[in-house]
Amino acid sequence: MDYPILPKQMPARIKKVWQKSNLLATGIFVIIGAVVMGVLVATDHFKGVPLWLIIGYFLLVLLLFIIRQVLIPYRYYFHRYEITPEDLAFQEGYLFRSITYVPINRIQHVETEQGPFLRKENLMEIVIHTAATDHHLAGLDMEEAMALRQQIIDMVKVAKEDV
């Protein structure tokens, strides 16, 4: 049996956001490694650290960066959503796939967020709050995100009136 693929996909610009986020995270780990090395050198503890450990750290950071960059097209293909009158569905994962269904009547409130990388690409994130957890749908066009937010709010109002 094939795993179902939800119909709505994010704009392709989300891939640039993921690339920039990956680059930033890698940069932070490289800086942390460099600072630790600097502290070890400054305190004369560098001699006690095996060279393979230092090289291994930076190679691991580089390897993880490359793997995450290569997997962005796969992540994009499986990062989808769907809205039905009864629920919202969020799909993610390319090796371990999951679809999360959120019943409309369980939604408490809806937020929109936009960090610097999303803002640069003219994208937005919707955060769906329920009593149990938050569900994030990042990478929507701004107009689509605002329309989707309003659609969800209207659907929640109708669902709450029916109760």
Side-chain angles (χ1 to χ4, degrees), residues 30-84:
V30 167
I31 289 170
I32 289 171
V35 167
V36 168
M37 278 185 50
V39 168
L40 290 174
V41 167
T43 60
D44 270 346
H45 289 94
F46 186 71
K47 296 174 191 149
V49 178
L51 185 60
W52 65 266
L53 187 63
I54 297 166
I55 293 172
Y57 172 80
F58 287 106
L59 284 177
L60 180 64
V61 169
L62 177 65
L63 180 66
L64 290 174
F65 171 76
I66 291 169
I67 289 171
R68 288 179 55 99
Q69 288 294 102
V70 167
L71 291 178
I72 284 175
Y74 297 104
R75 179 180 179 189
Y76 175 71
Y77 180 75
F78 292 107
H79 194 83
R80 295 169 177 256
Y81 70 99
E82 180 180 36
I83 299 177
T84 67

Side-chain angles (χ1 to χ4, degrees), residues 4 12 29 48 51 57 72 82 92 99 104 113 120 126 134 147:
F29 281 107
L51 185 60
Y57 172 80
I72 284 175
E82 180 180 36
E92 61 185 19
I99 298 178
I104 294 293
E113 295 179 356
K120 177 133 176 64
I126 291 181
D134 301 337

Side-chain angles (χ1 to χ4, degrees), residues 64-124:
L64 290 174
F65 171 76
I66 291 169
I67 289 171
R68 288 179 55 99
Q69 288 294 102
V70 167
L71 291 178
I72 284 175
Y74 297 104
R75 179 180 179 189
Y76 175 71
Y77 180 75
F78 292 107
H79 194 83
R80 295 169 177 256
Y81 70 99
E82 180 180 36
I83 299 177
T84 67
E86 297 84 28
D87 56 30
L88 301 174
F90 304 97
Q91 182 174 31
E92 61 185 19
Y94 37 87
L95 293 177
F96 301 99
R97 300 179 194 164
S98 71
I99 298 178
T100 303
Y101 293 92
V102 180
I104 294 293
N105 62 353
R106 298 291 185 202
I107 296 174
Q108 292 184 336
H109 66 280
V110 182
E111 291 180 342
T112 55
E113 295 179 356
Q114 189 181 50
F117 294 151
L118 288 172
R119 190 175 312 117
K120 177 133 176 64
E121 297 299 326
N122 203 26
L123 298 172
M124 193 172 269

